[in-house]
Structure formats: structure tokens, C-alpha cells
Amino acid sequence: IVREVLPLGSVVELDPLYFKPSEKTDSPTLLVITGRFIAPKGYMTYFPYKGVVYPVGEVKANAHVHFTAPLIKKVIQRGYKDESELAFELMMKRELMLNRGMTSLEFSPKAMTQLQTELTKD
């Protein structure tokens, strides 16, 4: 609950192994954060972030990448943060974590495995 949440518009570099775990690659993958606190239907977990690939953006409808904080190798540029951003962050943490008892997907190996299985079915 005390973990910092990056604001919308932040540009982050993700660990390239997230995209191709079987390949050794050093090429950075940059994403622009376009959403936070995304809860897949039917789960008691949420993704802290979703984003689009920089500089391409959203080339196909709903082509977002969902990710968790440990996948962020480096913050390239922080987005804008003011009092309303801080209030939103607090409200979402209170709703998801305290009221609904949800955790970030990274803290639930069972939910992560279940979600990966569902995604590979398609």
C-alpha cells in the first residue's frame, strides 16, 4: 500500500525478458503508462499498470501491455502529478486493497499462473 504509483504519461523501460523470456536480449522496451489499477474480471488481483509501446502508441484497438512494478527497469520520464493524482491513487488503493482485499498480481503466483494459462488458450 505504500509503494509509489507512477502517474499517467510516465515513460518506463521494461525488462526485455518480460516479452521474450526464452531469448537473451538487451534491447530496451519503452512504454508510456496509460492506465493504472487494472483488475481482470474474476480475479482478486490487479495490474498496477497498463501502457502502450513508445514511440508507436496504440496501433490497434486495446493493444495495451499490462505490467507490474518489478518489471520496470528504469523510469525514463515521470508524468504529471498534482493533488488530484495523489487523491486518485489513495482512493484506488483504499478501494482495491482495503475494501476489496485485492493485491497486485505480482504478489499472487497462483493468479499469475491462471492468467497466463487463460491468455495462451486463445
Side-chain angles (χ1 to χ4, degrees):
I1 201 159
V2 295
R3 179 183 281 169
E4 176 191 19
V5 176
L6 294 168
L8 293 175
S10 295
V11 179
V12 296
E13 178 183 334
L14 292 190
D15 185 341
L17 293 179
Y18 175 65
F19 295 100
K20 296 182 181 180
S22 61
E23 297 178 21
K24 173 101 172 96
T25 178
D26 293 328
S27 60
T29 302
L30 302 181
L31 274 89
V32 178
I33 294 174
T34 58
R36 284 90 37 87
F37 303 105
I38 293 55
K41 192 173 184 170
Y43 285 82
M44 286 303 295
T45 56
Y46 65 91
F47 282 100
Y49 302 107
K50 78 173 181 177
V52 294
V53 176
Y54 177 88
V56 179
E58 187 176 358
V59 293
K60 188 171 112 180
N62 296 317
H64 298 104
V65 176
H66 293 81
F67 59 101
T68 60
L71 295 173
I72 299 172
K73 282 181 66 173
K74 184 162 118 180
V75 176
I76 305 297
Q77 178 68 47
R78 289 186 181 275
Y80 178 68
K81 195 171 213 174
D82 63 4
E83 293 83 21
S84 61
E85 168 67 21
L86 294 171
F88 170 77
E89 182 182 323
L90 195 64
M91 178 190 72
M92 291 305 295
K93 285 180 176 180
R94 182 179 299 131
E95 176 61 25
L96 295 179
M97 294 178 206
L98 300 178
N99 295 347
R100 295 188 193 178
M102 298 177 88
T103 60
S104 174
L105 192 66
E106 70 208 62
F107 297 113
S108 177
K110 181 181 176 186
M112 180 69 85
T113 301
Q114 180 183 351
L115 187 60
Q116 287 171 333
T117 302
E118 288 177 13
L119 291 173
T120 55
K121 282 182 191 176
D122 297 333

